[in-house]
Amino acid sequence: MAEGSPGGPACSGVADRQEPVPSSGGCNFPEYELPELSTRAFHVGSFGELWRGRLRGADDLSLEEPRPPGGRGGADWAREDAAVARDLGCSLEAAAELRAVCGLDKLKCLEEGEDPEIIPEDVDLVTLGVRKKLMEHREETITIDRVCRQETFAYEMESRAIGKRPENPADLVEPGELILSLNILYPVIFHKDLYKSAFFYFEGTFYNDKRYPECRDLSRTIIEWSEAHDRGYGKFQAANMEDFTFNDLHIKLGFPYLYCHQGDCEHVVVITDIRLVHHDDCLDRTLYPLLTKKHWLWTRKCFVCKMYTARWVTNNDSFAPEDPCFFCDVCFRMLHYDSEGNKLGEFLAYPYVDPGTFN
């Protein structure tokens, strides 16, 4: 299975092609999702086989770059028109007309000296008109370039591996592979990576990371709790994470699942998309899971432990090397008060609300 990076990112993973496994089914697990926001559970491997079966020609699954229009002949155009007619359910004449009107050779290039960032006033395209209004609104409301830098950073992450091919041919993604896109949310408290134990929770099964001898089964306490006093949750299952890939799972798109590590550090995981790989995707299997976007996190850590979010800020602090200085609640009390709760030294302290609360 593929684990994404923390920080509310979006990432993509390649689902290995294996034989489907049957669903556990029949369990009375609580569901908290909105039906209109998530799909019904489906088997990832069967989904891939279904779409690969519907695509008839080898060209439909090919990961090779398309040939340039200049090198095509009548037979090439005929095959392309036939494919368009089949996909759109139209006649060959209509497909040929679409190619003549909407082909690449009909794209209009900018005149010399024209700025591609400036949208003309008399634009007829609705989408360009909407974008022009949004850009004008942004110029009126943005006072700092944080949003612009965030968008640039996200685009760089998303585009750095487009069409990338591996140096070793054995690492090339096979045609017809599935790509899953995931959103992984930040936890409230940040943890240092001290323990190897972890699990994913999907559709009634805890997939525990047992790759190392020191790994513990973090799901055991939850399963025992659910079975005590007949809580009505049905029987949860446990399995080893390393024995499964995403291709073996039954999942729902848009449903909040769970990744837990470090004992109690929980990340909500939402699978947002699943599709067949395209030649413009990253084709180097070793780079997956591929981080494509990362949340712009604005938070202040404690100056002492550098681990927890600040809850107090001090001024004129005789114990602090900086003014102002930020502390989590535990470090603040340990440094500024004795065991009886008496104030030590001179300082002014104020409760601090971290901007990350509003991310």
Side-chain angles (χ1 to χ4, degrees), residues 111-173:
E111 300 293 339
E112 185 177 356
E114 285 187 308
D115 188 349
E117 296 297 326
I118 299 178
I119 301 176
E121 293 290 342
D122 57 346
V123 62
D124 294 330
L125 295 176
V126 176
T127 52
L128 276 183
V130 173
R131 178 169 177 80
K132 181 176 178 62
K133 292 180 180 179
L134 291 176
M135 293 176 66
E136 292 174 348
H137 176 71
R138 175 177 296 175
E139 292 177 357
E140 295 173 357
T141 56
I142 289 182
T143 56
I144 58 175
D145 66 345
R146 167 181 289 278
V147 176
C148 297
R149 288 188 285 115
Q150 178 180 357
E151 290 180 352
T152 301
F153 177 63
Y155 173 76
E156 289 175 351
M157 295 185 70
E158 191 170 6
S159 64
R160 63 188 174 89
I162 289 180
K164 185 176 180 62
R165 292 176 174 267
E167 296 181 1
N168 185 357
D171 295 328
L172 183 68
V173 174

Side-chain angles (χ1 to χ4, degrees), residues 204-208 217 219-220 223 235-240 244:
T205 300
F206 292 93
Y207 296 91
N208 294 286
D217 184 352
S219 67
R220 181 174 56 85
I223 294 176
K235 184 174 178 59
F236 291 103
Q237 305 293 325
N240 291 345
F244 293 85

Side-chain angles (χ1 to χ4, degrees), residues 195-215:
Y195 310 103
K196 297 183 182 298
S197 303
F199 69 75
F200 277 100
Y201 173 78
F202 292 104
E203 295 298 316
T205 300
F206 292 93
Y207 296 91
N208 294 286
D209 188 349
K210 301 299 288 291
R211 292 174 294 174
Y212 307 98
E214 60 268 33
C215 286

Side-chain angles (χ1 to χ4, degrees), residues 59-320:
D59 291 341
D60 294 323
L61 296 174
S62 175
L63 299 180
E64 297 298 325
E65 292 286 344
R67 289 172 291 179
R72 296 184 180 182
D76 296 317
W77 291 126
R79 283 194 296 269
E80 182 174 303
D81 292 346
V84 171
R86 183 192 68 208
D87 293 339
L88 299 183
C90 62
S91 65
L92 288 174
E93 291 76 10
E97 183 179 356
L98 284 173
R99 171 170 54 81
V101 174
C102 306
L104 294 177
D105 55 334
K106 299 300 180 181
L107 293 177
K108 179 182 178 182
C109 297
L110 294 174
E111 300 293 339
E112 185 177 356
E114 285 187 308
D115 188 349
E117 296 297 326
I118 299 178
I119 301 176
E121 293 290 342
D122 57 346
V123 62
D124 294 330
L125 295 176
V126 176
T127 52
L128 276 183
V130 173
R131 178 169 177 80
K132 181 176 178 62
K133 292 180 180 179
L134 291 176
M135 293 176 66
E136 292 174 348
H137 176 71
R138 175 177 296 175
E139 292 177 357
E140 295 173 357
T141 56
I142 289 182
T143 56
I144 58 175
D145 66 345
R146 167 181 289 278
V147 176
C148 297
R149 288 188 285 115
Q150 178 180 357
E151 290 180 352
T152 301
F153 177 63
Y155 173 76
E156 289 175 351
M157 295 185 70
E158 191 170 6
S159 64
R160 63 188 174 89
I162 289 180
K164 185 176 180 62
R165 292 176 174 267
E167 296 181 1
N168 185 357
D171 295 328
L172 183 68
V173 174
E174 295 182 7
E177 290 274 18
L178 292 175
I179 289 184
L180 283 73
S181 298
L182 292 81
N183 276 349
I184 304 177
L185 280 66
Y186 266 120
V188 177
I189 299 176
F190 295 91
H191 291 251
K192 291 184 178 179
D193 193 10
L194 301 176
Y195 310 103
K196 297 183 182 298
S197 303
F199 69 75
F200 277 100
Y201 173 78
F202 292 104
E203 295 298 316
T205 300
F206 292 93
Y207 296 91
N208 294 286
D209 188 349
K210 301 299 288 291
R211 292 174 294 174
Y212 307 98
E214 60 268 33
C215 286
R216 298 174 54 193
D217 184 352
L218 297 180
S219 67
R220 181 174 56 85
T221 302
I222 303 174
I223 294 176
E224 291 177 352
W225 172 87
S226 68
E227 293 177 346
H229 305 294
D230 190 21
R231 298 183 186 274
Y233 291 142
K235 184 174 178 59
F236 291 103
Q237 305 293 325
N240 291 345
M241 183 191 303
E242 58 271 24
D243 295 338
F244 293 85
T245 68
F246 277 104
N247 212 42
D248 302 317
L249 305 183
H250 288 79
I251 61 170
K252 299 174 184 175
L253 296 185
F255 183 83
Y257 293 111
L258 178 66
Y259 172 70
C260 179
H261 65 142
Q262 305 303 313
D264 62 350
C265 184
E266 298 180 345
H267 300 257
V268 173
V269 178
V270 180
I271 302 174
T272 59
D273 185 42
I274 178 172
R275 59 180 177 80
L276 293 174
V277 66
H278 186 262
H279 64 78
D280 283 338
D281 289 311
C282 175
L283 301 181
D284 189 346
R285 182 183 295 275
T286 62
L287 296 182
Y288 287 93
L290 182 66
L291 186 63
T292 56
K293 293 182 182 178
K294 191 172 183 180
H295 181 63
W296 187 284
L297 183 67
W298 177 253
T299 188
R300 233 181 247 283
K301 299 291 185 63
C302 171
F303 182 83
V304 178
C305 67
K306 303 186 185 301
M307 179 176 176
Y308 294 103
T309 303
R311 293 290 179 264
W312 295 91
V313 57
T314 62
N315 293 117
N316 303 323
D317 191 345
S318 58
F319 298 107

